[in-house]
């Protein structure tokens, strides 16, 4: 990159912070725009920008070793599986340690991004100002725009997305009620486990279409992601073959708990990490149900023909990849598909990169850091992507 050129970073969550740290390491000038009043993104509980999906009881499902940054590990003050408040504090310490705050304009939302005809970007922010930059790093996250499924019929009870769930009494009072949670990702199973404890909800049902491999947080007394690590020098397919027996050994057959056979092999999708769900199912505190076939007012018919009364539905059904500041005809991800070289670069646009758009195993933290380092090398002129045809 030529001297005097500047980079815009959108967002100050995990991806934006690692981007800022790496840009600083390589001497690349940048400004970060953050809609909130603090760093942390998804890990900032009750984030005033509305984009945090953290609930009150949330602990991360990967260990502190897995979420540590290469030059800023989580120290002995933190437990194996930190609470969201501790992760937020960790990210604040990261920002302070490396002087990232001075580059961040807080409470400044990027409203519109337009590419200039000769290259570079015009950024319009919520304060009405317009800014020009030579390059752009998009770090706005992909766990904030709730995705809802569509089912035949209608439901008379309450419905929310897990994005809005705080605890058993907020935003809905679910105590003593019959609740269906749709989705078997980490948020869904956490909510099922919390609501199905005796004295909370009357009945809790977990509805899933695809199933999942449930892995406990601890194996042999150690965090599971520290026992079963990926092997950097071994291609992913052989690793997956070697790992096929692991969930059977540590968790048993999913079918024995009423869950469907997962529609994918172990590690072909992100596993669901929970040390409580199978206990709740096995104890009868929660019930596993197949996909919803029809909403019938105060009842729900499931794909196996069973019909259950329900008072509330929580959709833990994931998120849409969204870029509200781009013209959809320029950049969008219909069906959550956005083909990117190294999950970062859009072929044909040589001054744009995305950080953190991936569902990495075991977690996004080191993935975003690796991408941020590559982006910084790219912007500093130390590395260049291949030609467009090869990128495609």
């Amino acid at each position: 990159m030529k001297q005097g050129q500047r980079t815009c970073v959108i967002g100050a969550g995990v991806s934006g912070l690692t981007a800022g740290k790496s840009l600083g390491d390589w001497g690349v000038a940048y400004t970060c725009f953050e809609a909130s009043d603090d760093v942390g993104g998804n890990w900032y509980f009750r984030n005033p920008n509305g984009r945090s999906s953290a609930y009150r009881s949330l602990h991360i499902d990967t260990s502190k070793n897995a979420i540590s940054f290469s030059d800023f590990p989580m120290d002995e003050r933190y437990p194996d599986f930190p609470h969201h408040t501790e992760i937020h504090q960790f990210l604040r310490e990261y920002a302070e340690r490396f002087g990232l705050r001075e580059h961040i304009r807080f409470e400044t939302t990027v409203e519109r991004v337009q590419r200039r005809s000769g290259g570079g970007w015009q950024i319009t922010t919520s304060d009405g100002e317009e800014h020009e930059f030579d390059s752009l790093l998009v770090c706005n996250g992909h766990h904030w725009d709730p995705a809802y499924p569509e089912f035949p019929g209608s439901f008379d009870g309450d419905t929310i997305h897990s994005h809005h769930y705080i605890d058993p009494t907020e935003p809905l009072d679910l105590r003593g009620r019959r609740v269906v949670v749709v989705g078997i990702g980490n948020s869904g199973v956490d909510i099922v486990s919390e609501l199905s404890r005796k004295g909370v909800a009357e009945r809790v049902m977990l509805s899933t279409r695809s199933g999942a491999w449930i892995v406990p947080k601890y194996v042999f007394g150690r965090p599971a992601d520290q026992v079963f690590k990926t092997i950097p020098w071994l291609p992913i397919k052989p690793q997956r073959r070697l790992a096929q027996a692991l969930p059977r050994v540590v968790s048993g057959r999913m079918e024995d708990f009423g869950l469907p056979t997962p529609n994918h092999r172990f590690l072909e999708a992100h596993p669901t990490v929970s040390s409580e769900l199978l206990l709740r199912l096995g104890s009868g505190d929660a019930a596993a149900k197949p996909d919803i076939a029809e909403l019938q007012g105060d009842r729900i018919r499931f794909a196996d023909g069973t019909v259950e009364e329900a008072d509330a539905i929580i959709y833990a059904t994931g998120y849409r990849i969204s870029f509200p500041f781009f013209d959809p005809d320029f950049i969008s991800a219909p069906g959550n598909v956005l083909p990117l070289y190294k999950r970062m670069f859009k072929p044909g646009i040589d001054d744009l990169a995305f950080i953190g758009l991936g569902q990495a195993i075991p977690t996004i933290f080191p993935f975003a850091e690796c991408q941020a380092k590559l982006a910084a090398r790219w912007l500093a002129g130390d590395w260049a992507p291949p030609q467009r045809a090869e990128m495609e």
Side-chain angles (χ1 to χ4, degrees):
M1 170 168 284
K2 298 179 181 179
Q3 286 189 342
Q5 293 195 348
R6 297 177 63 246
T7 296
C8 173
V9 176
I10 300 178
V14 172
S15 298
L17 291 176
T18 56
K21 165 64 167 56
S22 296
L23 293 175
D25 289 344
W26 282 89
V28 178
Y30 75 95
T31 297
C32 176
F33 295 105
E34 168 54 51
S36 186
D37 60 359
D38 198 3
V39 302
N42 203 32
W43 295 102
Y44 179 1
F45 181 58
R46 295 189 185 276
N47 194 326
N49 68 12
R51 296 192 173 185
S52 173
S53 299
Y55 34 96
R56 193 180 305 280
S57 62
L58 174 64
H59 286 257
I60 196 166
D61 55 21
T62 45
S63 70
K64 69 178 181 182
N65 290 328
I67 64 174
S68 288
F69 298 123
S70 62
D71 52 4
F72 197 76
M74 296 193 90
D75 58 35
E76 66 278 354
R77 292 174 298 155
Y78 294 96
D80 288 341
F81 296 95
H83 186 251
H84 63 73
T85 54
E86 294 168 312
I87 297 176
H88 187 204
Q89 179 60 30
F90 170 67
L91 293 174
R92 296 180 73 183
E93 292 171 355
Y94 181 78
E96 294 290 345
R97 172 65 178 81
F98 298 110
L100 305 182
R101 287 183 178 274
E102 63 191 68
H103 298 275
I104 303 172
R105 290 189 53 173
F106 291 105
E107 298 182 281
T108 307
T109 303
V110 173
E111 300 285 357
R112 185 168 176 77
V113 173
Q114 293 175 287
R115 193 159 192 254
R116 300 191 309 232
S117 58
W121 303 88
Q122 181 171 303
I123 310 295
T124 304
T125 50
S126 54
D127 54 10
E129 294 185 6
E130 292 189 350
H131 314 262
E132 291 190 350
F133 292 91
D134 302 289
S135 52
L136 174 63
L137 297 184
V138 177
C139 309
N140 69 322
H142 59 104
H143 287 122
W144 61 270
D145 187 4
Y148 292 85
E150 294 185 4
F151 297 115
S154 61
F155 182 64
D156 296 339
D158 295 315
T159 61
I160 60 170
H161 194 278
S162 59
H163 175 74
H164 301 108
Y165 177 86
I166 299 296
D167 60 32
T169 64
E170 186 183 353
L172 302 175
D173 190 345
L174 299 169
R175 294 172 297 181
R177 303 180 75 187
R178 298 160 297 189
V179 183
V180 174
V181 178
V182 181
I184 197 171
N186 289 306
S187 296
V189 303
D190 279 356
I191 294 170
V192 167
S193 298
E194 182 166 82
L195 294 178
S196 62
R197 294 167 189 162
K198 294 300 184 185
V200 187
E202 176 184 325
R203 177 166 167 76
V204 179
M205 292 159 276
L206 170 60
S207 171
T208 173
R209 175 184 60 188
S210 59
W213 298 102
I214 311 297
V215 179
K217 286 191 171 183
Y218 284 95
V219 176
F220 308 130
R222 296 176 57 199
D225 57 38
Q226 298 304 299
V227 176
F228 307 123
K229 291 186 177 182
T230 55
I231 306 170
W233 50 264
L234 185 63
I236 190 63
K237 288 185 178 180
Q239 290 191 62
R240 287 173 175 169
R241 285 197 294 269
L242 290 171
Q244 291 309 304
L246 295 179
R248 300 285 190 183
V249 172
V250 299
S251 299
R253 299 175 68 253
M254 298 296 97
E255 300 86 342
D256 292 340
F257 296 90
L259 296 169
T261 302
N263 65 353
H264 56 275
R265 294 181 179 180
F266 186 55
L267 296 184
E268 287 182 348
H270 206 289
T272 297
V273 181
S274 174
S275 293
E276 189 172 359
L277 177 67
L278 299 184
L279 171 63
R280 293 293 163 206
L281 293 171
S283 301
D285 296 333
K289 305 295 290 185
D291 195 22
I292 292 175
E294 184 182 12
L295 304 174
Q296 300 179 334
D298 62 348
R299 291 171 169 78
I300 297 175
R301 180 170 63 85
F302 294 94
D304 61 357
T306 59
V307 177
E308 299 278 358
E309 294 181 327
D311 303 305
I313 299 175
I314 300 175
Y315 290 110
T317 46
Y319 297 85
R320 296 176 296 190
I321 296 175
S322 299
F323 310 105
F325 38 80
F326 281 132
D327 184 327
D329 292 333
F330 177 63
I331 297 284
S332 63
N336 278 4
V337 176
L338 179 60
L340 299 171
Y341 178 68
K342 294 189 179 295
R343 299 270 195 245
M344 295 176 64
F345 302 100
K346 186 170 178 61
I349 304 179
D350 61 4
D351 48 13
L352 167 68
F354 298 81
I355 307 293
L357 281 189
Q359 199 69 8
I361 296 175
T363 180
I364 191 71
F365 286 66
F367 176 75
E369 185 186 28
C370 286
Q371 287 191 321
K373 289 181 177 181
L374 183 61
R377 289 181 55 201
W378 164 62
L379 291 171
D382 184 67
W383 175 86
Q387 295 298 312
R388 179 171 182 172
E390 186 177 343
M391 293 171 71
E392 295 282 8

